[in-house]
Amino acid sequence: MMIQNPAARRIGMVFIGAIGLSVATQIAPKAFTAQMVAINFLTLALGSSLSGLLGQLFTVVPNNTFFLTVAFIAIVAGLVLFTARRPISRGLYGGLED
């Protein structure tokens, strides 16, 4: 398991990283392309840090409490994103012209 995890993360980064960089450069104004790419990497770092903090909780609380907490956080995050999808979409693609 310890050998497979880094390999899976590298493969995931190859697929997901390229898509994130492509979207960041497409939606960014020409003058701010580098800043958008930097923000993309900062969000990846923030997600990794938060997952590490959440992983530390696994050793402190019972398993069912941990997984219920993770599920609750995922559901809340999904509802927030679902609620904010139209304003986010307008903000991201409002200035793009074909």
Side-chain angles (χ1 to χ4, degrees), residues 54-55 57-75:
L54 190 60
L57 188 63
F58 184 75
T59 59
V60 179
V61 298
N63 284 349
N64 56 353
T65 305
F66 174 78
F67 290 113
L68 283 173
T69 303
V70 170
F72 178 74
I73 291 170
I75 290 169

Side-chain angles (χ1 to χ4, degrees), residues 8-97:
R9 287 183 18 197
R10 287 186 189 111
I11 291 170
M13 191 61 185
V14 166
F15 290 118
I16 295 172
I19 293 169
L21 288 174
S22 174
V23 169
T25 56
Q26 283 179 359
I27 64 172
K30 296 290 183 203
F32 297 106
T33 303
Q35 286 88 345
M36 286 297 287
V37 171
I39 288 174
N40 180 36
F41 284 120
L42 284 173
T43 57
L44 292 172
L46 178 66
S48 295
S49 297
L50 290 176
S51 69
L53 289 173
L54 190 60
Q56 289 177 352
L57 188 63
F58 184 75
T59 59
V60 179
V61 298
N63 284 349
N64 56 353
T65 305
F66 174 78
F67 290 113
L68 283 173
T69 303
V70 170
F72 178 74
I73 291 170
I75 290 169
V76 168
L79 289 172
V80 167
L81 288 173
F82 184 75
T83 305
R85 73 187 184 284
R86 288 199 176 120
I88 290 173
S89 200
R90 267 187 264 123
L92 287 177
Y93 301 108
L96 292 179
E97 297 174 9

